[in-house]
Amino acid sequence: MIGKRGKILAAFYMIFLVVLFLMCSTDLIIREPEKEIYQIAVIVEDADDDNYVNFRKGMDQAAVEFNADVRFITLYEEMDARQQLDMIDRERQDGADALIVVPVDEKVLAAALEKQGNVPMVLLGSGELGERTEAVAVVDYRRMGEQLAEEMKKRVPVDCTVLILAEPHERSTAAENFLQGAEAELEKGGYACRRVRPEGKEGYWEMLKALPEGEAVLLAGTPEVLSEAGEVLEEDPVLADGVQGLFGRGSTMAVFHDLDSGIVTGICITDEFSRGYFSVRMAIEALEGKGGQESLIMESYYIEKKDMRKPEYEKMLFPME
C-alpha cells in the first residue's frame, strides 16, 4: 500500500513532468536558433510561366536548401523594359533581400543600375551588361546560334533556302544575338538565308507556298516562334512535306513535344534547372558575404529526338526536384 506521503511525492513528480514538457515544447528551456528566411524576388522578361518550368524547379530546390522564400514575378506586358524597372523598384521598396532579374533590355537595365541601392542583384543575361559588380549568369546566345548552325550544315543541303523566323516585333536581345550568330555561320557556309516575320498561320502558309517544294529549312529565334511553327506544320501535312527541317532553341514542354514527335529536327538548350538553382545560390552567397559576384557561363547543347532519353540530357530536360 502506498502511503499518504508516497501519493504526495507521486503527484509532485507528475506535476514536475508536465511542467518540464510544457517548458520544452514552448522553447522556455531549449530554444532552437531561428534561421533567417531570405526574401528573393525573381523578375523575368516574359509574361508566360511555361518558358520557365525547369528554371523554377531549380530555384525551388535551392530555396529549400538555402532557406529562402522565392517569389517568381512575370510582367503584365511581355518584353516591357520600363515595366520591369518599375517592378525592380517596387520589390526593393517591399523589402526583398535580393533580386534575380532576366533583363528585357540589357542596355536599359545597365543604365538603371546606377541607382540600384544596397539590394544584391543577380542578372541572368547574355553578357552585354558591361563591367558591373553584380553577379551574372550568362548564356552566350550568339555562340548558341553558331553552334546550331554548325549542326544544321551537317544535315541540310547547301542549296536549301534557310528561312530565319524572327519575332513579328523585334524585342529580345537574346533572340537577336542568337539569330545573328546562326545567320553569320550559315552564310559563311554558302547558305542563302532570308529573315522573315510571319504572323499567324496564314503568314506561314503564304511564305512556304512561295518556295519550291522541299527547299525550305526553318530556323526559329525564340521558343515561342519555334512552337508556333511546329503547330503550323503539325496541322498542315502538305506544308510539312515541303520543309526539310525545323530548328531552334528552347526548353519548354511544347518544344520537347514537337522534338519527340519529329516535327522539330533539332534544338539548342541550356541547363535551365542548374541556371535557376545557381542563381538563387549566388543571391544567398551575396547576402551572406561569401562571394556571389563571379560570372557563371552556361553551356549550350544541341540535341535531337534520339538524344532525349540519354541520361545526361534526360536529367536536363526533365529534372526531378
Side-chain angles (χ1 to χ4, degrees):
M1 296 289 294
I2 301 176
K4 183 177 180 181
R5 183 174 177 178
K7 291 180 180 179
I8 294 173
L9 288 174
F12 273 117
Y13 181 68
M14 292 299 296
I15 293 171
F16 171 76
L17 289 179
V18 170
V19 171
L20 183 63
F21 171 77
L22 291 174
M23 293 176 69
C24 291
S25 64
T26 55
D27 291 336
L28 292 177
I29 293 180
I30 303 173
R31 182 181 297 274
E32 294 186 6
E34 294 184 4
K35 294 182 179 179
E36 183 176 1
I37 299 177
Y38 295 109
Q39 302 295 322
I40 300 177
V42 183
I43 305 172
V44 300
E45 87 283 27
D46 209 336
D48 186 357
D49 282 6
D50 291 342
N51 290 335
Y52 288 93
V53 173
N54 288 346
F55 179 74
R56 292 188 67 168
K57 286 181 180 179
M59 288 193 304
D60 291 342
Q61 179 65 36
V64 171
E65 292 184 19
F66 300 110
N67 206 43
D69 179 16
V70 176
R71 301 194 301 276
F72 192 84
I73 303 165
T74 58
L75 302 183
Y76 305 124
E77 295 293 333
E78 188 174 332
M79 307 305 291
D80 187 330
R82 176 51 54 187
Q83 184 187 113
Q84 188 175 54
L85 293 179
D86 291 342
M87 284 186 168
I88 289 172
D89 288 338
R90 184 194 71 188
E91 290 301 320
R92 286 175 180 154
Q93 294 170 12
D94 288 349
D97 296 312
L99 300 173
I100 298 172
V101 181
V102 182
V104 169
D105 187 316
E106 296 186 25
K107 294 178 181 177
V108 170
L109 181 59
L113 287 179
E114 301 300 328
K115 57 176 183 178
Q116 175 186 334
N118 58 356
V119 177
M121 183 184 297
V122 175
L123 303 173
L124 308 181
S126 61
E128 295 192 353
L129 289 154
E131 293 296 325
R132 299 284 172 177
T133 59
E134 294 78 16
V136 180
V138 174
V139 177
D140 188 341
Y141 287 102
R142 185 176 183 88
R143 176 58 198 141
M144 182 190 287
E146 293 171 351
Q147 183 179 0
L148 182 59
E150 288 166 0
E151 297 295 336
M152 290 174 65
K153 290 192 294 185
K154 299 174 185 177
R155 296 158 175 79
V156 176
V158 74
D159 57 350
C160 281
T161 298
V162 180
L163 297 178
I164 296 179
L165 309 178
E167 296 170 298
H169 306 288
E170 199 64 66
R171 295 171 296 180
S172 170
T173 303
E176 182 58 26
N177 288 346
F178 173 76
L179 290 180
Q180 284 181 2
E183 192 170 11
E185 185 65 29
L186 288 167
E187 289 178 344
K188 189 168 66 176
Y191 289 82
C193 299
R194 181 151 60 89
R195 191 172 291 211
V196 294
R197 303 179 189 276
E199 294 195 47
K201 296 177 182 178
E202 285 294 324
Y204 281 94
W205 191 88
E206 292 174 4
M207 174 187 71
L208 295 174
K209 285 297 184 182
L211 291 171
E213 185 175 349
E215 290 190 9
V217 175
L218 307 182
L219 170 58
T222 68
E224 294 85 356
V225 173
L226 181 59
S227 295
E228 184 180 61
E231 184 179 343
V232 170
L233 296 182
E234 185 175 26
E235 292 181 1
D236 194 332
V238 175
L239 286 183
D241 288 341
V243 174
Q244 289 210 16
L246 172 58
F247 299 84
R249 67 178 180 93
S251 302
T252 67
M253 290 300 109
V255 169
F256 295 156
H257 171 269
D258 288 345
L259 184 66
D260 194 38
S261 64
I263 296 168
V264 171
T265 310
I267 59 174
C268 268
I269 62 167
T270 56
D271 186 347
E272 290 294 326
F273 181 92
S274 294
R275 193 181 184 208
Y277 178 90
F278 285 115
S279 67
V280 172
R281 193 177 81 173
M282 292 167 77
I284 298 297
E285 288 175 348
L287 285 167
E288 296 181 345
K290 298 177 181 177
Q293 305 305 317
E294 301 81 5
S295 292
L296 174 67
I297 310 298
M298 300 299 300
E299 294 281 344
S300 297
Y301 307 89
Y302 174 80
I303 65 169
E304 296 180 347
K305 177 180 179 178
K306 60 182 173 59
D307 303 312
M308 293 184 72
R309 301 305 172 189
K310 292 180 179 178
E312 63 270 29
Y313 295 122
E314 190 172 28
K315 291 179 181 178
M316 199 179 302
L317 300 177
F318 312 107
M320 299 294 291
E321 295 167 88

